[in-house]
Amino acid sequence: MPLYEHVMIARQDLSNTQAEGLIEHFGAVLADNGGKLVDSEYWGVKTMAYKINKNRKGHYAFLRSDAPAPAVQEMERLMRLHDDVMRVLTIKMDEHKELPSVQMQKRDERPERGERRERR
């Protein structure tokens, strides 16, 4: 089955448990449609670059899934209809990395950046 990564932003006035409950809910939607939630990370409340629906902050969540395309489409459809979800991004991946995402890594655990090129 294809592999996907999803990032979801939920409203800022939800509690942490409600935001994590959304992750479980949408994982169950995938499972009901023949897929599975491989991994999920709750990134917490973060400030956004611009307002979305009059909100400056949002609960961020990261999901990794192994599901057929119709299951992902159904999950995205339900996310877009859900009042608490403001934005969704889904990307198809060739493989899942086993490390925690960059958001969850501590600064000293991240790989070093390459040297910058000189601008001309």
Side-chain angles (χ1 to χ4, degrees):
M1 280 190 274
L3 304 174
Y4 296 93
E5 289 184 354
H6 317 273
V7 176
M8 171 181 69
I9 306 174
R11 291 184 310 129
Q12 67 183 356
D13 54 347
L14 297 176
S15 69
N16 291 352
T17 54
Q18 287 174 319
E20 291 173 357
L22 285 175
I23 296 171
E24 294 172 11
H25 170 69
F26 292 119
V29 169
L30 281 175
D32 291 345
N33 290 297
K36 69 176 180 177
L37 190 62
V38 175
D39 187 22
S40 65
E41 295 177 357
Y42 172 65
W43 290 347
V45 178
K46 297 197 173 287
T47 304
M48 297 183 281
Y50 55 90
K51 286 184 180 180
I52 300 174
N53 300 336
K54 300 181 182 177
N55 291 300
R56 285 211 175 271
K57 296 183 177 188
H59 290 273
Y60 281 70
F62 177 69
L63 312 167
R64 289 184 179 118
S65 65
D66 183 6
V72 173
Q73 290 171 350
E74 178 65 12
M75 182 186 73
E76 281 188 329
R77 185 184 75 81
L78 293 174
M79 281 181 168
R80 294 188 197 291
L81 290 173
H82 203 284
D83 291 336
D84 294 333
V85 178
M86 295 189 298
R87 289 285 191 273
V88 179
L89 173 69
T90 299
I91 299 173
K92 187 174 181 180
M93 303 298 291
D94 292 330
E95 62 179 300
H96 287 306
K97 294 186 171 85
E98 294 301 317
L99 298 173
S101 64
V102 174
Q103 288 289 327
M104 297 301 286
Q105 292 176 5
K106 294 182 180 146
R107 209 173 257 291
D108 56 338
E109 294 175 1
R110 293 182 190 168
E112 293 296 320
R113 286 183 168 181
E115 289 191 27
R116 290 185 170 201
R117 292 186 294 163
E118 193 174 307
R119 285 187 154 177
R120 294 180 191 207

